[in-house]
Structure formats: structure tokens, C-alpha cells
Amino acid sequence: MAVFRRDSLVTRQLLRLLLLHTAWEVGSGQLRYSVPEESKHGTFVGRLAQDLGLEVAELVSRMFRMVSSGRRDYFEVNLQSGVLFVNSRLDREELCGQSPLCAIDLEVIVDKPLRIFHVEVEIQDINDNAPVFPVNEKNLFISESRRPGSRFPLEGASDADIGTNSLLTYKLSLNDYFDVDLQKNNEQRKSLVLLLKEPLDREETSEHSLLLTATDGGKPELTGTVQLMIKVLDANDNAPVFNQSVYEVRLLENATNGTLIIKLNATDLDEGINKDISYSFSNSFNPNLRNMFSLDPNTGEVRFKGELDFENISLYELQIEATDKSAFPLTGHCTLVVEVLDVNDNAPELAVTSLSLPVPEDAPPGTVVALISVSDRDSGDNGKVTCSIPPNLPFRLVSTFKNYHSLVLAEAVDRERVSEYKIVVTARDQGAPSLSASSSILVAISDVNDNAPAFPQPVYTVFVKENNPPGAHLLTVSAWDPDLRENAFVSYSVVERSVGEQPLSSYISVHSESGQIYALQPLDYEELQVLQFQVNARDAGLPSLCGNVSVQLFVLDANDNAPAVSPAGSVGGSPGPELVPLSAGAGHVVGKIRAVDADSGYNAWLRYEVQDPGAAGPFRVGLYSGEISTTRALEEADGPSQRLVILVKDHGEPSLSATATVSLSLVKIPQAVKWDSRPRGGSEGPLVDMNVSLMIAICSVSGLFVLVIVVYVGLRCRPGPEVMCGPGMATVVCASEVGSWSYSQRQSRNLCVGEGTAKNDLMVFSPNFPHCAENGAKETPNLCGTVG
């Protein structure tokens, strides 16, 4: 028979599990199981992984874990099979007391991706508690004068089980005088009374011994008994009577010690000492309650003493007796029900059950950061809790299940702006006044490579003097990356390109870590004036990001080229001596020294002088023009020939020089070769005698030098077949802002200062001027030259 009942119980449990599983599948999404209390360790509860739709093979890799809402681990999951089983003893009465529903909330968490499942396991009651009476023996005193139908209250038995297992029925041992009756006072309370069926006769029977049995509704049934010892009293016919059988009083749980609960009043129709009444608690009164309530025996005042706690006990039932003072006292009975009202005396409790930290800064909105559970021991509005976090944060709280909340990412975060957030989660109940609790969560933001290296300026400009030693440090570039670790580690490289016929990497190199740029070979201004290139900065992130910066390297000229006289030792271009007519007067130009300097600026600004002034005789050389002219009229005494050594020097530091030897033969007029002796008429006369030094002085102080040159050339250079134009090697340029000279060998324009001679003593930059016309064609303006 016992086997049949056990099999039937297992069948019903399996059917209930199937129904619960089906309800979860089509219902709200919460998985529910049930298991009888007192189940042994290892008892099967349900196929949790299968019911949640999880693959058993992935439970370990997805970090399957289960949280049981603050209780100890009553359940466990086999990660090899996904089966939920009982881990420790379950006592429903210990867990939930008299609560009609006893369930343990489980929270199942898996990662990759993070998912949360809520599981509720109902603990089913079994009939494991027998009814228990407060005492084993109860003494009753009943006067023989009591009429049939009189009722005498009895304290019923209690059963720790619930439902049908706690439904009690009472049975009195067989007798002719008494029976028991169970009356319902309201839906929650039932009163057990002893009913007198027949009149008592003390002389016939002075004492009745009855056995009262309480039987619960469980299967199998359990019973409890109490021995009723009824003594029949003589004489005193009227017992004290309370004005109501049940008194109900409400008392706040924060009531102070000594608070008056109620003043009871009982009356007795007898006279004398049979009418005097004394109040007392029933003998079956719980001793623990005597420390919480006091009863004045004379006035019937019931007062509170001690401390009340609604969360522990919300209802007290006190059995009170009113006894007269006769020799054979009679007693009246009433029940005082004290209902404890909740006050908001418990602050909410917060618990962070799971954290997913740190949060990558590229995490999408909706990412779960933390799981938070809240609870409040109070009831009603005092136990209703709301959670909040401060505003203006990229996070929000989402209510998931009952008192569980998820802290999720509400918007994108940027680690470079805010690297971590201190989030204060506040739980506040709805009591008056409300109570709150808070907990801090430190959310760190992890770095991703979302920032490219950046240079502090778009262009670096550096000036380097030519002939630098190989390996010379030119400049250092530095880029900054606001990311962290490898995402912020910057390496540098040069963006390769061609410089002429050579690669850029043959000129310069950059240190990959420091950003220091070095020259790999000496730079030659005469070959390269400006070197433009780009430096690339790349971080070590995955994927890596990069940024570029432009570098302009200007090569500065050094005086490393001495003047060159061409052709050597010749004024007119032929190897023979220059012929000078004896009839030449003072100022007669007999020749011109042509010299060039490959340098620039002052390094290429040449001056001419006779090396031995004492041996110059009647001749001199133009300081800056190189023209050899007479200082006075020639005489036969000057001899048939002169030999002049001309020193050509630049203005560099230190100065470099070259010499040219000029042979002059003095001849009579028929043998003389005409040399630039034509009269210059019109307005050209004053300009012909203009000293070049004056022009240079004007250049150094005036920004109108270019305009002066153009006017000068316009007046001096006359188009025609006599004008000789040719490329020049050197160009002197006036920079009016600083009053200095610069030189370019490649971009120059020769200035025509004579009818048949192209003079190189003054030169000016003139970008994109037209070249000399071929076949004698005229050009306007009369500036000629080539780009060297």
C-alpha cells in the first residue's frame, strides 16, 4: 500500500512538472519547477539546460552560473547533463513558515552573450508535522449548575504544515456529557469549544477524564492528543461573562513600552465574593508572550511591554480568563487578538549579484553591466522599492524580474573623455517617511583603438646649413595618441617618394620610436634648396590607425664655392692681349672681367680689385662691375703694354677669391679696336654713369628694388641686334624685410646694362619671365635669362 502511494505521488509530481514547463513555454517566460520538501540530496528537479534552450556542451564555455536570491545553495546544476537537482535538505516550514506559497527564486546567468533566466522552484508541503496541543493536559472546572448547551473554549492544536496537511479535525473520546465543536470566527481563525450535552451531577460524577484527538488532512494522517481533566463544581451558579467573546485590537510595531492596549470588562450576576472578578492569562498562555504583555488582575488593563516586530510576528492571540473569588470559582473566557501594524522601520537592502567589467568603449547601447537585487522586510507600501541612478550618466536601470534590476549601457561611452564612472544605485521604499539605501558601482571603461596619432602642427619647417655631417639630427617630430597601451604606442616612418632620380630614404631617415629625423648624407645647396616630405605616425592597435605631417627642409647656403673667372685670363674672350688706343681719355672702358660664384646671397656677391694697386698705372677696375677703365688720358710714357692681376672676392665668411691676369697693349689709333665708346645720348647718359653700389644701397633699404631694376633695365637695354643675352650663374636678390642678399643658381635673370654686353653684376629673381626671343625678335620687357 505504501509503495502504491509513493508511485502515485511521483506520478503526480511528474505531471505537475510537465504542466509547469508547458505554462512557462507559452506564458510569461519564467521557468517554474516544484519539488517536495525533505527531498534527499540529488533528487531530480528538472532538465534546466534543455528547458532554457541551452546547449549542454556550452554550459562551461559560457560560464553557466546560478544565483539563489540570498538563500543558501539548496539546488545545484550538473554541468555535464544540465539537470537541476536538490543539493541540501529542504524544510518548507523552516524556509517559509505558514506562508501558503513557498518558492525559491533562482537566477541563471550565461555569457557570450550575456543572458539572464529566472527560475522559480516551488517547495511543496508534505505531511511531516503532526498536530500539537499547547499542553499535554488541560484542567477544566465546570459548575454543575451549567446548563446543556454551555460552551467552554479550548485551545486547539497547531500544525506547521499548510493546505490540507494542516486542516484539523477534532474527536473527543466516547462519553455521555461532552462533545467538541469547531466554530469559524472569520476566514482565518477557528475556535474550538467544549460543548455540554447533558446536565452535570457532581454527586454522581465529580470528575471526567476525556482524550481530545486532533487529526490533520494529510496522507497518511497524523494526530495529536491532549488529556482533558474536567472537575465538576458545586454551588456558584454564574460565571463571569465578558461583553464580547473576541476583542480585536491594532497596534503599531513601534509602540512604546507601557502602551495601553485595551481595558477588559467582565460581569458576574452573583453577589458577594462570587461577584468579585480577577483577570488573568490562561494557563496555556505562551510564556514568551508574558514578557511582551501585562494584564492588571483588578482593572483588566492589558498593556504592551517589550518590543514588537511586524516582520517577525504580525498577529497575537491572547486567551484571557475572568475568575470570580468564590470558594469554587467560575471562570469566563475571551480572546484578545492583537494585530501588529507595520511601520517603515526597515531600509531597503541592495546586492550586486553580477558584474561585467570593464566595459569596452565601443560596447553597444543595451549592454548589461551589472545585476542588482533589492529587498525590503516591510510590507505594503513600506516594502515597495524603487531603484534609481543619478541623471546625466550613459547608463540606465531596467527592471527584469520582481526585485531584480539590470544596469545597462544607455549610450555610447568614450574612454578618452571619461575613463570610469562611479554609479550610486539608490533603493527607496514608498513608506512615509521613506527609507533608502545605496550602493556604489565603479564601472571602468576599457580602451579600444579609436584615435589616430595626431601631430601638434600640420607642417614642420626646418633650416639646415649645407655640408652637414652624415647622421646629423635635423629635427624631432612627435605625435600624440590619447588611447592606452599598444593603442597609444606610436612608431614613425617616412612616406617614400623620389627626389630627382634618388629615393627620399637616401637623404633622410626617421627613428621609429623617438621621431628624430637624421640626414643620411651631406646636403648641397647648389643641388637641392628645398626638400619636402611627409612623416607617417602609426599606432600599434588592431587595426592600426595613422596620421601624417608635412616637413619642409630648407637648405641654407654656405660659402663653399670660390669665384670662377671665365674664360681664365681673358677679357674679350680671346687668349690674346686687349688692345687699348693711346688716344683713350679718362673713363674709357677697355674690358670687363666676367666671374661667377655658384653660391648664393652674400656668398655670391663679387667685388673686383687690382691685386697690386701700385702696378695698376692709369687703369682701375670697377669694384662691383669688373669693368677695366682708364683713370686718365694715356701717354706713350705708360709703355707699350700693361699687365694687371685682378682679384675677385666674394662676401662670404670666410671670403673666397680667385685671380685673373689681364694683358693690355697700348696701340695707336689705327690699330685700336673700338670698345664700347659710342656716345650715349638722350636720357641714357645719367643712367650709364650710375654706380652699381648706389643701386645696392637702395636695394638694402627699399622694398622698391624690383621696381628700380625694371626701370633701370627698361632705360638701359635697347632692343636690337647689338643686345647680347645669355644665361647667368648667379642671382643676387634683395629681401626688403631684412635687408639681406640671397642667391639662386637655378632661377636667375641676367640684367642687360650695355648695348653689346650682358652684365652679371646685378641680378634679380623674376619668376616666369619670358626667355630671349630667337632670331633677333624683340621681347618686352628687356629682361633675359634662363633658369639654371
Side-chain angles (χ1 to χ4, degrees), residues 18 22 32 45 125 133 163 170 191 200 215 236 240 289 292 304 316 416 469 486 576 594 611 643 651 674 686 698 736:
L18 179 61
T22 305
R32 296 174 62 91
V45 178
D125 182 54
F133 286 93
Y170 295 89
S191 296
L200 297 174
T215 305
N236 191 16
L289 298 181
M292 301 183 64
F304 162 72
Y316 295 91
E416 286 71 40
E486 67 274 2
R594 291 179 175 83
Q611 189 175 36
R643 187 180 183 86
H651 285 73
K674 185 176 182 181
I698 294 174
S736 61

Side-chain angles (χ1 to χ4, degrees), residues 605-607 622-625 651 689-700 705 741 761-762:
W605 185 20
L606 304 181
R607 58 183 295 167
L623 181 62
Y624 294 107
S625 65
H651 285 73
D689 297 329
M690 180 179 293
N691 194 312
V692 177
S693 300
L694 179 60
M695 292 293 293
I696 296 174
I698 294 174
C699 169
S700 64
F705 174 65
W741 295 88
D761 55 345
L762 288 180

Side-chain angles (χ1 to χ4, degrees), residues 300-591:
E301 291 181 350
V302 181
R303 293 183 181 273
F304 162 72
K305 64 177 183 178
E307 294 183 357
L308 294 175
D309 189 354
F310 170 85
E311 287 70 38
N312 289 334
I313 302 177
S314 61
L315 190 71
Y316 295 91
E317 288 191 12
L318 310 179
Q319 301 294 331
I320 299 177
E321 298 177 345
T323 305
D324 61 30
K325 297 181 179 180
S326 68
F328 302 98
L330 298 179
T331 303
H333 304 271
C334 76
T335 301
L336 176 60
V337 178
V338 180
E339 182 182 358
V340 181
L341 300 180
D342 181 46
V343 296
N344 195 23
D345 58 346
N346 291 281
E349 296 179 357
L350 275 169
V352 179
T353 59
S354 181
L355 290 173
S356 297
L357 298 177
V359 177
E361 62 179 323
D362 61 348
T367 299
V368 178
V369 177
L371 301 178
I372 303 166
S373 63
V374 296
S375 61
D376 195 313
R377 297 181 59 200
D378 294 320
S379 64
D381 290 342
N382 296 333
K384 294 180 180 179
V385 181
T386 58
C387 272
S388 64
I389 60 175
N392 303 322
L393 289 176
F395 301 92
R396 60 188 176 93
L397 283 176
V398 177
S399 179
T400 56
F401 172 72
K402 288 186 178 179
N403 291 329
Y404 288 91
H405 301 268
S406 295
L407 179 66
V408 301
L409 192 63
E411 59 187 58
V413 293
D414 185 1
R415 188 207 62 80
E416 286 71 40
R417 186 171 61 89
V418 181
S419 61
E420 65 179 15
Y421 294 87
K422 184 178 182 181
I423 304 174
V424 179
V425 182
T426 302
R428 184 176 299 277
D429 60 31
Q430 297 181 15
S434 65
L435 299 178
S436 64
S438 62
S439 178
S440 296
I441 302 175
L442 193 64
V443 179
I445 308 300
S446 61
D447 184 54
V448 297
N449 194 25
D450 57 349
N451 291 279
F455 289 90
Q457 59 193 66
V459 178
Y460 285 87
T461 301
V462 61
F463 296 89
V464 180
K465 202 167 186 178
E466 67 173 329
N467 302 320
N468 56 279
H473 176 252
L474 303 179
L475 79 157
T476 300
V477 296
S478 179
W480 179 71
D481 193 318
D483 292 322
L484 289 178
R485 293 181 291 275
E486 67 274 2
N487 295 333
F489 181 77
V490 179
S491 59
Y492 302 90
S493 62
V494 174
V495 179
E496 187 63 86
R497 70 176 185 86
S498 297
V499 180
E501 296 181 355
Q502 297 187 33
L504 175 65
S505 57
S506 66
Y507 285 90
I508 55 102
S509 68
V510 59
H511 192 275
S512 62
E513 295 183 4
S514 65
Q516 294 179 337
I517 301 177
Y518 300 92
L520 297 180
Q521 62 181 7
L523 300 176
D524 187 357
Y525 173 85
E526 286 70 41
E527 293 183 1
L528 183 67
Q529 289 82 44
V530 180
L531 181 61
Q532 293 185 343
F533 56 91
Q534 284 191 328
V535 176
N536 175 269
R538 182 179 298 273
D539 60 32
L542 290 175
S544 63
L545 302 177
C546 63
N548 291 345
V549 67
S550 296
V551 179
Q552 293 182 340
L553 191 151
F554 292 90
V555 181
L556 302 179
D557 182 51
N559 193 26
D560 57 349
N561 291 281
V565 180
S566 178
S570 174
V571 176
S574 59
E578 297 290 343
L579 303 180
V580 181
L582 286 173
S583 61
H588 181 79
V589 177
V590 299

Side-chain angles (χ1 to χ4, degrees), residues 109-185:
I109 305 169
V110 294
D111 293 335
K112 303 176 183 178
L114 178 64
R115 294 189 62 189
I116 307 163
F117 304 91
H118 300 285
V119 180
E120 186 177 89
V121 181
E122 179 184 3
I123 310 303
Q124 296 178 335
D125 182 54
I126 65 173
N127 194 25
D128 59 342
N129 292 279
V132 177
F133 286 93
V135 294
N136 295 326
E137 185 177 355
K138 172 72 174 177
N139 294 318
L140 298 174
F141 300 91
I142 301 176
S143 175
E144 62 178 346
S145 62
R146 299 298 293 265
R147 297 178 181 179
S150 297
R151 294 174 177 269
F152 306 94
L154 296 175
E155 189 162 2
S158 62
D159 196 321
D161 297 319
I162 62 170
T164 58
N165 295 330
S166 65
L167 294 178
L168 302 181
T169 59
Y170 295 89
K171 184 179 179 180
L172 195 61
S173 59
L174 185 62
N175 69 94
D176 297 328
Y177 297 94
F178 297 95
D179 200 357
V180 290
D181 186 20
L182 192 63
Q183 292 182 330
K184 288 187 177 181
N185 296 327

